[in-house]
Amino acid sequence: MIKGMSIVTVWVLDQDRAKEFYTEKLGFEVRTDMRIGGDSGMRWLTVGAKDQPDVQLTLMVPGTPGLDPESAEAIKKLVAKGVLGAGVLTTDDVHGDYAALKAKGVEFLQEPQERPYGTEALFRDDSGNWFSFTQPRGELDLDQPWAS
């Protein structure tokens, strides 16, 4: 039986730059940074939120085993174009964290706005992936028109 999600792949264009972005700008911690198959092997780089030790993001450059060169190039182009959403990151202070991240140079596509599910901002990582940055609301009001 599936017990949950533990590792999620985020496609990046440069692992060193991504490591710096996720740790220095977003405050994630490095969980794993190693080469599989010796010095010339694939780099396995994972990061995660300090308060969520059971979930990791693997920062992976397209072209790793399992992808043919044509598919790897297609993914790189989509990442660089900024059309891939990589997920939702949550916070308990979206306005304060928005200001702090913006001051660190994080590129926001949308400032915090009220949504039925909470307050949401959108930002891009250093490769072009966009994330929803959300302060969730408590219970959803299912009597609202958007709920049907």
Side-chain angles (χ1 to χ4, degrees):
M1 180 59 89
I2 295 172
K3 294 189 179 219
M5 182 74 69
S6 63
I7 300 174
V8 177
T9 299
V10 175
W11 297 112
V12 299
L13 302 178
D14 180 292
Q15 285 178 306
D16 288 327
R17 239 184 39 228
K19 180 180 176 180
E20 182 179 322
F21 178 87
Y22 282 86
T23 59
E24 294 181 17
K25 293 193 178 187
L26 298 186
F28 284 26
E29 60 186 11
V30 173
R31 302 280 174 77
T32 309
D33 191 353
M34 61 184 260
R35 294 240 176 236
I36 298 173
D39 290 341
S40 62
M42 179 186 83
R43 184 176 181 191
W44 182 252
L45 173 60
T46 68
V47 297
K50 293 176 183 172
D51 293 337
Q52 193 176 23
D54 56 335
V55 177
Q56 301 177 70
L57 303 180
T58 181
L59 305 176
M60 191 70 65
V61 175
T64 56
L67 280 180
D68 60 87
E70 182 182 342
S71 297
E73 274 308 306
I75 292 172
K76 286 178 186 177
K77 286 179 182 177
L78 290 171
V79 170
K81 191 174 180 180
V83 298
L84 296 181
V88 178
L89 301 175
T90 59
T91 179
D92 56 3
D93 180 11
V94 72
H95 291 284
D97 291 340
Y98 164 82
L101 292 173
K102 193 164 183 167
K104 290 182 179 183
V106 174
E107 176 193 358
F108 277 86
L109 305 172
Q110 171 194 293
E111 62 186 39
Q113 295 183 8
E114 293 302 314
R115 303 281 187 231
Y117 46 83
T119 307
E120 175 190 56
L122 299 175
F123 73 85
R124 284 194 204 283
D125 71 6
D126 66 302
S127 291
N129 298 297
W130 62 268
F131 285 86
S132 168
F133 186 53
T134 302
Q135 181 176 346
R137 229 181 266 310
E139 292 292 318
L140 289 178
D141 183 354
L142 297 178
D143 292 327
Q144 292 297 318
W146 51 261
S148 51

